[in-house]
Amino acid sequence: PGWRTPRWLALNYSFYSCSRLWNKRWWPIFYKSLKMTSLKIAVLPGDGIGPEIMAEAIKVLDVLDLPFEMESALVGGAAYDAFGHPLPDATLKLAKEADAVLFGAVGDWKYDTLDRPLRPEQAILGLRKNLGLFANFRPAICYEQLVDASSLKPELVAGLDILIIRELTGDIYFGQPRGRRTAVDGHFPGSEEAFDTMRYSRPEIERIAHVAFQAARKRDKRVTSVDKANVLETFQFWKDVVTEVGKEYPDVALDHMYVDNAAMQLVKAPKKFDVLVTGNMFGDILSDAAAMLTGSIGMLPSASLNAQNQGLYEPSHGSAPDIAGKGIANPLATILSAAMMLRFSLQQADAADRIESAVQSVLAQGLRTVDIYSAGTTKVGTREMGDAVVAAITKTTKG
Ligand code: IPM
Ligand code: MG
């Protein structure tokens, strides 16, 4: 009869050795697997073509076989119709608690007569503000197969790959005070007037400048800061602060350009840019111009990140109510936004690569939605385009 370890001691011992191992070796793996089970995505399809293009992006995410936890909610006009507010508390809560928000589009002419706080656009502005999404990435890439879809000469845009970084939570968009009042001075004292406030604080400029310089480091190491320092106090300050931050990045070339000149250069010689960084208002305008260089705004994804890397991902185009429900909208911008989401907020770079190469492959197959159609290619609808991307992904999975 040999001596036997009492059962409780054996258990204790194994727990002890196990827990040591656990801490040293297994904990990180376990932790990772825990994280793997919670890639929380808030899905906000919105209005117009939003739900159609979102359906295709979800289809694509579904075939990746990753542990997504997706929950959707109403936003924009759809939320106004159902709950009387474009950004209901429940939608905001869902977005705040998610690792990432996948956003379709909001807006419809029928809401244009509502009071401003109730209009669909307030949903996107409210999400930006409440989640602190200050850094907006708007890449403009001209796919080789689409050079002819651009309104510019092919040689001007072939191979275009620029990145607009737009500050997204400050400037005249959010500056207080704003409103209407009776003028006490100006050209017409005593008359009714409206006013907004353009303003930027040093930390706001510093953090977006850092984002731009760091992004440039991963690209061609050139930053163009866009301002209106010749006229505006706010943008002289912007220029000064960006210059200061630039000293911390001696490996990145910095230049400055007035916004009117930047608009001109974007249509004259867009390929000369690498990274453009600018304020909220100028970024809004320049990014639409840049989008058109690529042939179609229907191709362009965007990401809006906060300091915690939580992000909102949306196509750069709007809700296009004129073509809603027709099944012809281009879902690629939303699908590519999902890829950006995987890369930036969910740390799934491989999956992002798979989506991006699947999109390349459907374009190479000659499939085109109507917005990017040109003679000699095959016209497809929203759903067929999504299906083709799914097929391209499953094909690479099977090797
Ligand atoms: C954009 C849009 C928004 C903006 C609108 C819908 C509020 O134009 O994301 O560029 O002006 O920022
Ligand atoms: Mg815009």
Side-chain angles (χ1 to χ4, degrees):
W3 182 83
R4 293 176 59 200
T5 315
R7 211 176 148 69
W8 63 269
L9 189 62
L11 269 179
N12 230 358
Y13 181 73
S14 62
F15 176 72
Y16 171 66
S17 60
C18 183
S19 71
R20 275 181 48 185
L21 258 184
W22 196 234
N23 284 328
K24 275 213 188 111
R25 301 244 316 268
W26 300 111
W27 173 244
I29 295 171
F30 175 64
Y31 181 69
K32 245 190 175 164
S33 77
L34 258 189
K35 279 197 79 169
M36 283 294 286
T37 59
S38 64
L39 300 175
K40 274 183 149 174
I41 306 174
V43 177
L44 310 181
D47 309 322
I49 58 172
E52 297 163 55
I53 52 179
M54 186 61 79
E56 302 313 308
I58 302 292
K59 232 157 63 177
V60 169
L61 287 172
D62 279 343
V63 291
L64 294 172
D65 204 24
L66 286 168
F68 296 124
E69 228 182 273
M70 299 191 219
E71 204 173 315
S72 50
L74 295 178
V75 75
Y80 173 79
D81 288 342
F83 306 111
H85 197 280
L87 183 58
D89 288 343
T91 302
L92 180 58
K93 184 166 180 280
L94 184 74
K96 276 188 169 165
E97 288 170 358
D99 297 312
V101 179
L102 192 57
F103 191 93
V106 292
D108 190 302
W109 304 297
K110 70 178 185 202
Y111 305 108
D112 282 357
T113 52
L114 289 174
D115 279 351
R116 184 174 305 281
L118 297 177
R119 292 193 206 156
E121 293 76 18
Q122 293 302 313
I124 185 73
L125 295 172
L127 283 164
R128 288 172 186 171
K129 186 175 175 181
N130 281 287
L131 274 70
L133 306 169
F134 72 92
N136 184 210
F137 290 72
R138 299 194 167 182
I141 295 171
C142 184
Y143 289 84
E144 189 195 322
Q145 298 92 348
L146 300 181
V147 285
D148 294 319
S150 173
S151 47
L152 268 71
K153 293 187 201 114
E155 63 269 28
L156 284 186
V157 292
L160 177 81
D161 179 356
I162 63 180
L163 175 61
I164 296 191
I165 295 184
R166 167 186 177 197
E167 199 290 329
L168 204 58
T169 50
D171 205 352
I172 197 165
Y173 266 58
F174 292 95
Q176 294 291 343
R178 55 187 280 162
R180 293 196 187 200
R181 64 188 171 194
T182 302
V184 293
D185 50 15
H187 296 296
F188 295 98
S191 63
E192 201 189 353
E193 72 171 7
F195 64 103
D196 296 276
T197 303
M198 177 176 272
R199 58 190 281 186
Y200 266 123
S201 63
R202 174 178 283 277
E204 282 177 295
I205 304 170
E206 283 173 349
R207 64 181 180 177
I208 195 72
H210 281 292
V211 167
F213 286 114
Q214 280 163 25
R217 273 192 172 157
K218 298 186 189 146
R219 301 169 47 97
D220 204 30
K221 299 193 170 56
R222 290 183 295 122
V223 170
T224 303
S225 170
V226 176
D227 62 60
K228 190 71 188 173
N230 49 346
V231 179
L232 302 169
E233 217 44 70
T234 311
F235 276 88
Q236 179 62 57
F237 185 51
W238 171 281
K239 184 175 178 178
D240 295 346
V241 175
V242 173
T243 305
E244 277 174 41
V245 174
K247 298 205 173 102
E248 294 176 40
Y249 299 85
D251 53 323
V252 179
L254 169 66
D255 68 343
H256 304 272
M257 201 178 269
Y258 297 142
V259 62
D260 47 352
N261 186 23
M264 183 165 71
Q265 298 306 324
L266 266 178
V267 290
K268 189 176 168 216
K271 284 194 263 182
K272 286 197 182 151
F273 293 111
D274 178 27
V275 174
L276 282 120
V277 62
T278 190
N280 204 347
M281 172 90 138
F282 299 156
D284 177 45
I285 300 165
L286 294 181
S287 62
D288 265 26
M292 265 333 279
L293 302 175
T294 69
S296 169
I297 198 167
M299 293 295 301
L300 295 184
S302 79
S304 306
L305 297 176
N306 65 17
Q308 293 78 42
N309 250 9
Q310 198 187 15
L312 182 145
Y313 299 82
E314 58 174 328
S316 290
H317 59 70
S319 55
D322 51 328
I323 59 162
K326 293 189 178 161
I328 57 170
N330 187 346
L332 293 179
T334 313
I335 291 172
L336 290 167
S337 298
M340 278 185 112
M341 169 181 82
L342 288 163
R343 194 183 307 284
F344 289 141
S345 287
L346 305 180
Q347 317 320 327
Q348 302 290 331
D350 289 348
D353 287 343
R354 288 169 68 198
I355 295 182
E356 285 161 3
S357 42
V359 168
Q360 292 275 6
S361 128
V362 301
L363 292 176
Q365 288 162 38
L367 304 183
R368 304 281 189 274
T369 41
V370 60
D371 55 313
I372 51 175
Y373 175 79
S374 59
T377 59
T378 314
K379 206 179 280 180
V380 295
T382 310
R383 209 173 296 157
E384 289 163 280
M385 190 56 112
D387 288 343
V389 175
V390 166
I393 290 177
T394 27
K395 211 160 117 201
T396 56
T397 316
K398 284 178 189 142

